[in-house]
Structure formats: structure tokens, C-alpha cells
Amino acid sequence: MQANDRTRQSRPRTFHLTVAYDGTEYCGWQVQPEQRSIQSELERVIQPLAGKPVRILGSGRTDAGVHAIGQVARCVLPTWNAGPISLQRAINSKLPDDIRVKAVRETRERFHPIADAIGKRYQYLVQVGGGRDPFAHRYVHRVGGPIDHAAMQAAAAKFVGRHDFRAFQGTGAERPSTVRTIHSARWFPRTATDPTGSRLEGEPWCFEIDGEGFLYNMVRNLMGTMLEVGRGRKPLQWIDEVFASRDRKQAGPTAPPQGLFLCRVDYPDEIFEVDES
């Protein structure tokens, strides 16, 4: 028996779940009436383990069609006596095939997946040119070429630093502050094969962005704006004008959800310092 799977005295315990999912068949992370969501699937599976209805809190909501490699969720179990590994196995045994808990760690009681987060990484996958691939189409945004990749890199560099991203915030989830710090933003070519190992048509590219936090639809709106520059529809300096306007209508269109992946959410080590007494 592993050390973190030992039996212990019953008490409420808080867990950090790392969750991966294909968001294609879901209305998004958040519970919605009469629709399937990632949150509702996790709550359905974890409720019998808790012995009562539970609310699973995520690090942020992803929209319909958006995927995750490293979403983070919190669950509190009042009577769970086994360790994190047993909890992971119990949850995964009941989840649908397109959702999986990749890791479970016990945390401090007051752990909050939104308030305690210190950084996030997203990736957005793009196929430039070529036909629609029947295996990859739900994971990439296919755009017509040609694309000026140097212009796309220059556009991405505009987002690095501390800025007011109000012009890139989606409607319906306004925040008290729209100022965010972006640590890095870059484009790079990715492996040109689909999940079957077949060669993809066109040019597969990935946009990766790291920051302290993101506004609603911010990454998809940044993507739509960069594509306007990369396709030559707007000059590079237009992005400065969009920032200055603080007006969502001045930025590019919202890119579709299927190319977007939440890759990781970072937390300080202190949240995992659990009192074993």
C-alpha cells in the first residue's frame, strides 16, 4: 500500500484535481440547465463518494467546444478515508471516456482554484490551408492561407507585459479589473500528423500564451485579432489602437472554440502543505 493511500481518521478533506477533457460534446465547464457540462459530470460521479450533493469548483470556465489538458478543480469530501490515488481511481472508473482526472493532490482546507491560481497556460491550434481532416477537425481551427508568420509573431509580442485587455474581453462576464500580465506569447510549428498518424494537409501551427490570468474569451479574441494581422487585413500598429480604444468592437472576431486548450494552472506550493495531525 502506498504512503498516500493510507487509511486515516474521517474528517473533511480538500482535493486538487487535474482534469483533461475533450469539450466537443459539452456545453462547457459550467453547469447549465438540461445540458451536459464537465462540472456536472464530475459532480455526478463524486456525489456518491461524498455521501451528499457536492459542488465542484473549477479554476475557470471553458466554453462549449473548448478542451483541457490541465484544468484544475476542487472537491471537498467529508468522510473520505483513503488517499488521493484511490480517489483518482474511483472517479475515473465512473467518468465518460472523454473526461479523465489525471492527478489528485490533497490541499489545505481553504484552497480555492480561482483565487489561489498564480498562472495559466493556453494553447490554440491552427491549420493554415489544406482540407478538413476528419480526425483533427474538432481540435484545430482551419484558416485559409497564406499567413504571414513573422507578422503573427510580432502581433503576439504586442500582448506580452502588463496591459488593460478590456478590448479583448468577451461580453457577459465583466470583471472589476481588466488589467492582466502576460508573461509570454509565441507561435511555433507543430507536428504535422493527425491522431491516426496520417500526414495533415496545410501547415499546423500552435499559439501558446502564459499569463497570471485571463478574461472571458480573451485568448480567442486575441487569436482573431492576430489572424487579421497575419492575413494582411490590418497593419501591426492597429493592435495598439485596439488596446487604446478599450472597446471590444474594435478588436478582431472571436476565434472558434475547437482549437483552444487549457494546458495548465499553476499554484504556490503552500496550498499542498496539509496538516497531518
Side-chain angles (χ1 to χ4, degrees), residues 25-28 30-38 40-41 64:
E25 303 298 330
Y26 298 90
C27 68
Q30 192 171 11
V31 171
Q32 301 288 339
E34 299 181 3
Q35 298 188 66
R36 293 182 73 205
S37 73
I38 308 299
S40 62
E41 287 295 316

Side-chain angles (χ1 to χ4, degrees), residues 249-267:
K249 295 179 181 179
Q250 301 305 310
T254 302
Q258 67 267 22
L260 184 59
F261 291 76
L262 172 57
C263 294
R264 58 183 293 172
V265 187
D266 297 323
Y267 296 91

Side-chain angles (χ1 to χ4, degrees), residues 148 151-152 154-155 224-242 249-253:
D148 185 337
M152 297 283 275
T225 299
M226 284 185 289
L227 285 171
E228 291 292 285
V229 174
R231 287 166 153 171
R233 297 173 179 173
K234 296 286 186 179
L236 181 62
Q237 61 268 26
W238 166 67
I239 294 180
D240 298 321
E241 298 170 5
V242 173
K249 295 179 181 179
Q250 301 305 310

